[in-house]
Amino acid sequence: MPHDPAPPTRHLRIHQDRGHVVLEFHGEIDILAALEITPALDAVTGGPAPQVVIDLRPADFFDCSGLRLLYRARRRVLARGGRLHLVCTQPLTLRVLRATGLARLLPPSASLDEAFSRAEATSGSL
């Protein structure tokens, strides 16, 4: 997958795993973190048929700015014919994902292995 993502930051680590680009969100994902993450997220989701996993397990806090990042990633990946998986185990974040309906559109997995084993991701319309 050719792309040139931004270097790791305080809130984001990027690596390859099984043909996917994995974006690990770290620490508090708030408006300042979102400003830091957006350029790398756009770089990763900007090519044809991106294969992306967003891993929220290292995130300590996740607010509406984080939700906007997930919706942005989903919209960009779907528009380019790619696949997006989400990994999340934090109870409060899972509750927010369910309350906003995002968990139906982007079902969270408990591990990378589970995310990679899903036959279908990013269901629904743009």
Side-chain angles (χ1 to χ4, degrees), residues 12 20 26 48 52-53 59 73 78 83-84 106 111 113 120 124 126:
L12 181 65
H20 290 71
H26 287 260
V52 180
V53 175
L78 282 175
R83 291 173 42 159
L84 176 64
L106 191 56
S111 68
D113 287 335
E120 187 178 321
L126 293 172

Side-chain angles (χ1 to χ4, degrees), residues 64-78:
C64 61
S65 299
L67 289 172
R68 280 192 294 274
L69 287 171
L70 296 181
Y71 276 107
R72 180 184 188 94
R74 182 179 178 278
R75 180 179 41 83
R76 291 174 58 85
V77 166
L78 282 175

Side-chain angles (χ1 to χ4, degrees), residues 29-122:
I29 307 304
D30 56 15
I31 192 163
L32 293 176
L35 290 172
E36 182 182 287
I37 291 169
T38 297
L41 183 137
D42 286 354
V44 167
T45 60
Q51 304 296 308
V52 180
V53 175
I54 296 178
D55 188 350
L56 299 180
R57 291 175 300 175
D60 301 323
F61 174 80
F62 196 80
D63 73 5
C64 61
S65 299
L67 289 172
R68 280 192 294 274
L69 287 171
L70 296 181
Y71 276 107
R72 180 184 188 94
R74 182 179 178 278
R75 180 179 41 83
R76 291 174 58 85
V77 166
L78 282 175
R80 289 161 179 80
R83 291 173 42 159
L84 176 64
H85 299 279
L86 180 64
V87 178
C88 181
T89 57
Q90 298 287 341
L92 186 55
T93 303
L94 288 168
R95 193 166 104 194
V96 169
L97 294 172
R98 284 190 293 271
T100 60
L102 188 55
R104 285 190 315 271
L105 300 174
L106 191 56
S109 299
S111 68
L112 288 175
D113 287 335
E114 182 183 328
F116 293 132
S117 71
R118 286 189 185 258
E120 187 178 321
T122 60

